[in-house]
Amino acid sequence: MAARAGETGDLFAQVKPRAISVSELTRALRVAVEPRFKDVWVSGEVANLRRQSSGHLYFSLKDEGACVNAVVWASAARRLPFAPKDGQEVLARGFVEIYPPHGKYQLVVNELEPRGAGAQALLLQQLKERLLAEGLLDPARKRALPFLPRRVGVATSPTAAALKDFLRVLHARFPGLPVLVAPCRVQGAGAAATVTAAVKGLCRAGVDVIVVTRGGGSQEDLFEFNDERLARALAACPVPVVSAVGHEIDVTVADLVADVRAATPTHAAELVAPVKDELEAGLRALRARLTRAAGEAVAGRRRELRALKAELSDPKHLLSEQRHRLEDLLRAGEGSVRERLREERQRQESLRGRLQRQEPRARLRLLASRAEAATRRLGSWQAATFRREELRLERLKSRLAPANVAEVLKRGFALALAQDRVLRRSGEAAAGDALRLALSEGWLDVVVTGVDAGSDPLPGRSRAGEPGSGPGKTASVERGSTRD
């Protein structure tokens, strides 16, 4: 941008253009470039692909003469129909963005499709792998078709021959079966969306089974039935879905996700509707079997009734039998009661004996008996002890008898007493002393007339100190008085 002459008064202003800043230049480029490339398709080869943890994809699109940076934000990357790889030819749709801080531009990709040979096959293969990983192709998820639907829904083109074939076979098998047709396009761009809308509309209408059908065609004609959104709509359908798309050799994703795959539209009609005539024939056969079974059951019940009546015809027999049974029961009951009474008596006897043994009076009697026995044993012991002591006393008495003074006096001896003092030697008395002589019977009061301490008063003893031997005083005793 050139400065106007005379604005600054600088003499060189007319020969030097005014410089603009980098930001101004970048901003001018953004204004000039970005609006022009707001929606552009670019083809090229993927290079330097980097997948960030945030889900963003960074790569370069290049060809023989140029290279441009590209980015797919995570929100768009999640919607990509395939996983791009280095060296893969792709067709990218997006807009050009200039990034001022780095002074670079990049292609922000919103849609990405493979190009070249095998691109469609790659898309289809990766779609099948995703659906398989999510379990949408699991055979265990498949639902059985209703035996006799009340109303059948068909999603197809109203002018297609497939619909005519389907209806012809369906009504031939079961005339009058209600059919609700949801018109949709079955070929060309956007056909998958119309089929998806038709399926959802049939679900809201309340049909028991849905048939998605169209006639045969090329792979390109059937390509719309490989749409991921249609596949997910069929998997989420609340009623069983029959897919009859193309010929038997044509397998689409819709065929894989549907609960049942029919080879042709007529095959779909055969799967959905049973043959009414066969059903009616079967019902007639069942009715006949039911009638026959009911007749046999009634006949059997009648036979049982007659048998019961026969048994009831003789009430005396029944009464007699019941009487015998009653008597048997009575006997068994009496025996049981007697046995129970016997056991109870035994138990009471046992308890009574235990109680008696524990009664205070009985214990007193037992203790008295024990005391009496102890008393008897003590009396016997005392008697034996007394007897033994008496014998011992007798023996002592017999041993003490020779030392008894009375016994000695009985043998003729006398005891001389001087004023109650026993005289043992003659020298203890003097002439004139009054003595008392105790005899075996009675006593004598005497007066000592003489004392002889050396003579033996007993004749016949020759040894000294013995009576009648040796010298000694001669005592003469004057007898005083005698008492008994």
Side-chain angles (χ1 to χ4, degrees):
M1 181 179 292
R4 294 180 181 179
E7 290 182 351
T8 60
D10 191 345
L11 296 177
F12 300 98
Q14 297 179 353
V15 296
K16 289 183 179 179
R18 188 180 68 86
I20 61 175
S21 67
V22 176
S23 297
E24 291 174 336
L25 175 62
T26 304
R27 190 180 309 113
L29 289 175
R30 293 187 65 180
V31 171
V33 174
E34 288 186 356
R36 183 178 178 184
F37 299 99
K38 293 178 62 177
D39 187 10
V40 62
W41 287 87
V42 181
S43 63
E45 178 183 332
V46 176
N48 302 321
L49 176 67
R50 304 185 305 279
R51 187 183 299 275
Q52 302 295 326
S53 58
S54 59
H56 306 324
L57 297 180
Y58 294 94
F59 56 96
S60 299
L61 276 179
K62 67 178 184 179
D63 55 16
E64 295 80 4
C67 180
V68 59
N69 292 330
V71 59
V72 182
W73 302 123
S75 57
R78 286 193 290 270
R79 298 194 301 268
L80 293 182
F82 75 109
K85 299 179 181 177
D86 285 340
Q88 195 172 42
E89 292 288 338
V90 298
L91 184 63
R93 181 182 183 182
F95 60 90
V96 175
E97 179 185 63
I98 294 178
Y99 187 54
H102 293 173
K104 298 180 180 179
Y105 78 96
Q106 63 181 0
L107 180 65
V108 180
V109 180
N110 294 325
E111 299 180 16
L112 195 64
E113 299 177 358
R115 288 190 64 199
Q120 297 297 333
L122 175 62
L123 287 174
L124 182 60
Q125 179 60 31
Q126 292 191 355
L127 174 59
K128 291 179 180 177
E129 291 175 356
R130 287 198 302 273
L131 298 179
L132 180 63
E134 296 177 17
L136 299 184
L137 306 185
D138 189 356
R141 192 190 60 82
K142 307 293 185 179
R143 293 164 294 187
L145 299 180
F147 174 71
L148 181 59
R150 292 168 297 181
R151 186 164 61 168
V152 179
V154 182
T156 186
S157 172
T159 60
L163 178 60
K164 297 178 181 178
D165 294 341
F166 176 81
L167 295 177
R168 176 177 52 78
V169 175
L170 183 74
H171 288 152
R173 292 173 63 85
F174 203 101
L177 181 63
V179 177
L180 180 62
V181 179
C184 59
R185 290 191 293 114
V186 293
Q187 184 175 339
T194 62
V195 175
T196 302
V199 170
K200 293 181 179 177
L202 291 172
C203 293
R204 290 192 295 270
V207 297
D208 292 334
V209 62
I210 294 176
V211 178
V212 178
T213 182
R214 61 147 288 160
S218 63
Q219 290 294 330
E220 290 73 17
D221 295 338
L222 305 179
F223 181 75
E224 288 296 313
F225 288 91
N226 293 324
D227 185 79
E228 183 175 357
R229 287 170 293 185
L230 174 60
R232 296 187 182 279
L234 296 181
C237 186
V239 298
V241 177
V242 178
S243 176
V245 178
H247 298 294
E248 185 173 3
I249 59 175
D250 302 324
V251 179
T252 64
V253 174
D255 294 329
L256 300 176
V257 176
D259 295 288
V260 178
R261 182 199 174 208
T264 60
T266 56
H267 184 212
E270 294 172 355
L271 293 175
V272 169
V275 178
K276 187 175 183 180
D277 293 340
E278 294 178 355
L279 287 179
E280 291 177 347
L283 288 175
R284 287 192 295 271
L286 289 175
R287 185 182 296 110
R289 290 176 56 186
L290 180 61
T291 302
R292 186 166 54 254
E296 293 177 355
V298 171
R301 294 294 184 273
R302 286 175 177 171
R303 288 193 295 271
E304 293 178 1
L305 181 60
R306 286 195 295 270
L308 293 174
K309 285 182 177 179
E311 293 179 357
L312 292 175
S313 62
D314 188 2
K316 293 182 179 179
H317 175 73
L318 294 177
L319 289 175
S320 177
E321 182 179 354
Q322 295 299 327
R323 185 181 295 108
H324 286 301
R325 292 184 58 186
L326 180 60
E327 290 177 354
D328 293 340
L329 292 174
L330 289 174
R331 284 195 295 273
E334 290 175 356
S336 177
V337 170
R338 284 195 294 271
E339 181 64 20
R340 185 64 181 273
L341 289 175
R342 186 185 62 78
E343 294 177 354
E344 194 63 27
R345 290 193 188 98
Q346 291 179 351
R347 191 175 69 86
Q348 290 180 0
E349 290 296 332
S350 176
L351 293 175
R352 187 179 293 107
R354 293 173 58 185
L355 181 61
Q356 289 178 353
R357 287 192 294 273
Q358 298 298 330
E359 187 183 14
R361 288 178 296 185
R363 292 185 61 83
L364 288 175
R365 288 196 294 270
L366 177 61
L367 293 175
S369 175
R370 291 178 180 177
E372 185 178 357
T375 302
R376 288 196 297 271
R377 290 195 298 272
L378 179 60
S380 300
W381 177 80
Q382 287 178 343
T385 302
F386 289 160
R387 180 59 182 167
R388 185 169 60 253
E389 292 299 323
E390 285 177 356
L391 293 175
R392 189 168 69 88
L393 183 60
E394 289 297 333
R395 288 195 297 270
L396 291 175
K397 290 172 65 178
S398 62
R399 292 174 60 183
L400 291 175
N404 192 348
V405 176
E407 293 297 330
V408 173
L409 294 178
K410 285 181 180 179
R411 291 200 302 266
F413 292 94
L415 181 64
L417 301 172
Q419 296 181 352
D420 298 333
R421 181 171 55 87
V422 177
L423 298 180
R424 290 180 176 81
R425 292 184 300 270
S426 59
E428 297 177 354
D433 291 344
L435 300 177
R436 173 167 287 185
L437 297 178
L439 300 177
S440 174
E441 294 179 0
W443 50 274
L444 296 175
D445 292 328
V446 296
V447 177
V448 177
T449 59
V451 176
D452 184 0
S455 301
D456 188 356
L458 298 179
R461 290 191 305 179
S462 58
R463 291 180 303 179
E466 294 181 352
S469 66
K473 294 181 180 179
T474 302
S476 61
V477 179
E478 183 180 353
R479 185 172 182 174
S481 60
T482 300
R483 289 185 180 177
D484 293 330

